[in-house]
Amino acid sequence: MNMNPAAEVEDLKWSPVHSLLFLSFSIGTGVEAYIYSLSYIATSWVAMPRSLLALLAVWPPLWLLIGGAFAGPLADWIGRKKTLFITLGIYAAGATGLIFSYTYATILIFIGLLLFASGGEYNTILTATHELFPRKYRSRVLFLELNFTNIGGSVAAILSLLVISSIVFQRELLGVTLLMSILIMYIIRLRLPESVMWLEAKGRYNQANTELEKYYGAQPENDKLVRPLKLPSLWFRIVIGGIVGWAYTAGFSLIVLTLGPYFFPSLTDWLIFIFGIVAFIAGFIGMVADKFSRKRFLLISAILVVIFAYLFIPTMKLWITDTFIFWFLFIGVSIFINIYFLAEDTLKSEIWPTRRRGLYSAIVRVISLGGSIPVIFLAVNLPIISYMWLGIGIFGTGLVASIAWYIWGTETSKGKSVRIWDEVK
């Protein structure tokens, strides 16, 4: 058997390095959601016609996909760690510019810059998590990291609500809070390793061994990996990853983010805040993510999202006038949307070979984010009943893809090695 540093990384016990990695990546996913929410909060900063409201609504998925498309191949080329420092630098420039933005145009420019960095940061975190954590904890860690996206959106919303009487101070507070988060991430990341798995895949064995010894105090071990006899084709994985991701991105945008600006402007911040808190609590189901089938997790959550989203239709006359019924339904669908999100985002970033994990993760995110843009544009002119049916149809498409993966996909949870997707050498 070959001595393999990547095999040792996957079999390590939890260490202080893993705790720092988890902290850094959790803050990173929280910042991504914080920035994503800023675009919708910013709709109240300046007066704008409804047509421009739709432009600001599609700004987040547009720039996130561009950032991911840039950072995915970059992370495969120069490494996960260097890419994460580049995105931090872009964050700092965008946050500083946002603080001094007083017009619609400058707000769009600097939020676009922040979203570009966020798309790259998020894609790299997804890629690196599968490679940096022991397989015993991998699913659990990523579920919990992704769950911090809910806190990020809620923090942005609550800061906005606290200073709702002063738009200028609101923008400054949001920008300064972001800069503080960037500084904390920078300090932590100075103490983190490069992906040993990526270094090995690039043929940099000496450097991989050095990182293994320096950060983990370990040596390469014999590679005992047992690969499945057959894996789903690359194209099947891309199609399924793109569809389940699109169903979440477009459906979440309709049910949580644009529902406020399009129909209930006074509730925009509250919708984002309530979703974030409820989803964060529900997301602790990730503590048992390693114990259950990923395929079954994805399928059941997709079914529950469709069922609970449908309940908005027959009860529409009631929740339009009764706030209690509306919030009851909204909280219920928020729980299942978040569980579906955790399952699909984990799946669509793990099913690729190490050398191209950044690229293929970016491709399926481009599909999911890019596909949500025409949906958001279409929805701005729909009556609310058609708007809700559109959301259900989108989540229904995700359900079909989840069924297909359940039947023909490969199980990736329960401590499975992410290296099963690597080409046999």
Side-chain angles (χ1 to χ4, degrees):
M1 292 186 181
N2 295 325
M3 300 301 286
N4 192 321
E8 175 64 20
V9 166
E10 284 202 312
D11 290 331
L12 288 170
K13 294 181 179 179
W14 190 270
S15 70
V17 172
H18 296 122
S19 297
L20 284 176
L21 284 165
F22 177 75
L23 178 61
S24 173
F25 290 172
S26 295
I27 296 173
T29 58
V31 166
E32 189 267 354
Y34 182 96
I35 292 168
Y36 199 95
S37 299
L38 277 182
S39 296
Y40 301 95
I41 293 171
T43 57
S44 64
W45 291 353
V46 292
M48 64 187 74
R50 193 169 177 85
S51 59
L52 291 182
L53 186 67
L55 174 61
L56 194 55
V58 301
W59 215 236
L62 173 63
W63 285 101
L64 282 180
L65 74 87
I66 294 173
F70 167 78
L74 183 67
D76 288 337
W77 179 36
I78 67 171
R80 315 328 189 186
K81 185 175 180 177
K82 289 179 181 178
T83 302
L84 287 170
F85 276 111
I86 290 172
T87 55
L88 281 184
I90 301 173
Y91 267 154
T96 303
L98 183 67
I99 293 172
F100 299 101
S101 295
Y102 300 100
T103 66
Y104 178 76
T106 54
I107 288 171
L108 272 180
I109 290 170
F110 286 108
I111 285 183
L113 189 62
L114 286 169
L115 288 163
F116 175 86
S118 183
E121 169 99 355
Y122 190 84
N123 196 82
T124 309
I125 287 173
L126 289 177
T127 300
T129 295
H130 292 296
E131 300 170 2
L132 288 165
F133 288 91
R135 58 181 175 177
K136 179 180 178 181
Y137 305 104
R138 181 173 62 84
S139 296
R140 192 184 323 171
V141 164
L142 189 50
F143 268 54
L144 294 175
E145 284 176 358
L146 295 176
N147 198 35
F148 277 84
T149 59
N150 301 308
I151 289 297
S154 292
V155 169
I158 197 63
L159 290 176
S160 175
L161 289 166
L162 287 173
V163 291
I164 198 167
S165 60
S166 173
I167 291 174
V168 173
F169 184 62
Q170 183 186 86
R171 185 175 59 250
E172 292 173 345
L173 179 60
L174 289 166
V176 169
T177 301
L178 181 55
L179 283 173
M180 291 172 60
S181 300
I182 294 166
L183 177 61
I184 292 170
M185 286 191 289
Y186 174 77
I187 293 171
I188 295 173
R189 288 177 186 177
L190 290 173
R191 296 160 173 78
L192 300 181
E194 178 56 273
S195 165
V196 170
M197 200 175 295
W198 174 79
L199 289 169
E200 183 182 301
K202 297 289 283 187
R204 303 179 186 178
Y205 296 102
N206 290 337
Q207 191 177 349
N209 290 329
T210 299
E211 292 286 287
L212 187 63
E213 171 65 28
K214 177 180 178 181
Y215 289 97
Y216 305 105
Q219 298 294 327
E221 67 172 24
N222 289 332
D223 192 355
K224 303 173 184 177
L225 178 66
V226 177
R227 287 182 167 84
L229 295 176
K230 185 178 181 181
L231 293 170
S233 71
L234 177 64
W235 285 110
F236 179 73
R237 285 178 268 160
I238 290 174
V239 169
I240 295 299
I243 292 175
V244 296
W246 171 76
Y248 166 74
T249 304
F252 166 75
S253 296
L254 291 183
I255 301 299
V256 179
L257 296 177
T258 58
L259 184 64
Y262 287 1
F263 298 103
F264 311 110
S266 64
L267 292 180
T268 298
D269 294 344
W270 281 109
L271 288 166
I272 295 172
F273 174 68
I274 296 297
F275 174 87
I277 295 299
V278 170
F280 182 72
I281 294 171
F284 280 97
I285 195 171
M287 293 295 292
V288 296
D290 293 292
K291 298 182 182 299
F292 293 98
S293 161
R294 179 100 68 251
K295 296 198 295 182
R296 187 172 292 111
F297 217 105
L298 180 68
L299 177 60
I300 293 174
S301 62
I303 292 171
L304 291 173
V305 169
V306 172
I307 291 173
F308 226 94
Y310 171 74
L311 293 178
F312 277 91
I313 302 299
T315 61
M316 181 165 293
K317 291 183 179 179
L318 297 175
W319 60 259
I320 285 290
T321 57
D322 190 325
T323 304
F324 176 80
I325 295 175
F326 173 79
W327 286 115
F328 173 78
L329 293 173
F330 183 78
I331 288 171
V333 78
S334 296
I335 291 171
F336 300 122
I337 286 176
N338 187 58
I339 294 173
Y340 174 74
F341 154 67
L342 298 176
E344 63 86 13
D345 237 22
T346 300
L347 176 72
K348 73 173 187 272
S349 57
E350 66 186 338
I351 52 178
W352 318 111
T354 302
R355 284 178 60 88
R356 295 288 181 267
R357 181 167 289 113
L359 171 64
Y360 288 125
S361 295
I363 288 174
V364 294
R365 283 179 56 76
V366 166
I367 294 171
S368 60
L369 291 163
S372 70
I373 291 175
V375 171
I376 295 171
F377 262 124
L378 170 65
V380 71
N381 295 313
L382 293 177
I384 194 165
I385 184 69
S386 300
Y387 182 96
M388 287 297 179
W389 273 117
L390 177 61
I392 293 167
I394 289 168
F395 281 123
T397 305
L399 172 58
V400 172
S402 300
I403 293 171
W405 184 257
Y406 186 81
I407 297 172
W408 294 294
T410 298
E411 182 55 61
T412 54
S413 189
K414 299 184 178 181
K416 293 289 192 303
S417 171
V418 74
R419 294 184 300 121
I420 62 173
W421 306 98
D422 287 336
E423 300 87 351
V424 178
K425 298 177 183 179

